[in-house]
Amino acid sequence: MTPSQVALVQASFAKVAPIADAAASLFYGRLFEIAPDVRPMFKSDISEQGRKLMATLAVVVNGLAKPESILPAAQALARRHTAYGVTADHYAPVGAALIWTLEEGLGPDFTPDVKAAWVAAYTLLSGVMIDAAAEAPASA
């Protein structure tokens, strides 16, 4: 990611943070719409899961300028997710739901450059996570 893309992701996320609960609700609604097979993976309160999602996104977004500071945590998260049945195929609908949510939440502020920056961020992060999950032991 370029420094400009990092700045775009961080600035746009700052606009989403005040509506974090609504954004999380939009995200999970969209995810379950486009990938209904993932719904059974979420056993706990979806509101609590949404808060965890937004907190994780905040950490990732704030660490994008120094990806080496966030990638080990992302790798560990991916390894834990394998225990819930998450596979590499699940990352595409998650990314699609994230981009859709940002577009809905940011409205006209979701410019083509902002979208490209988020796609770059998600591509980087999901690639690292998919690789880490593939390396996880089967009993993870």
Side-chain angles (χ1 to χ4, degrees):
M1 291 187 67
T2 68
S4 174
Q5 288 176 318
V6 169
L8 285 171
V9 168
Q10 291 174 336
S12 60
F13 187 73
K15 295 174 184 175
V16 173
I19 59 162
D21 288 344
S25 180
L26 282 171
F27 170 81
Y28 283 110
R30 182 66 174 167
L31 179 62
F32 300 151
E33 180 182 318
I34 63 175
D37 58 304
V38 303
R39 181 63 181 103
M41 292 180 187
F42 295 88
K43 309 278 189 230
S44 63
D45 175 31
I46 205 67
S47 297
E48 178 61 26
Q49 185 62 38
R51 285 187 282 281
K52 290 177 183 179
L53 169 71
M54 296 308 289
T56 301
L57 271 175
V59 169
V60 169
V61 166
N62 289 329
L64 281 176
K66 293 184 178 181
E68 66 278 4
S69 70
I70 57 171
L71 294 183
Q75 292 166 326
L77 181 64
R79 289 182 193 107
R80 285 193 308 274
H81 280 165
T82 62
Y84 305 124
V86 174
T87 68
D89 291 339
H90 292 124
Y91 285 85
V94 167
L98 175 64
I99 297 302
W100 179 88
T101 299
L102 291 164
E103 185 174 13
E104 291 293 307
L106 292 169
D109 290 337
F110 194 69
T111 65
D113 287 344
V114 170
K115 180 178 183 177
W118 274 98
V119 168
Y122 187 76
T123 300
L124 168 69
L125 193 65
S126 64
V128 166
M129 292 178 76
I130 290 167
D131 289 346
E135 296 168 2
S139 62

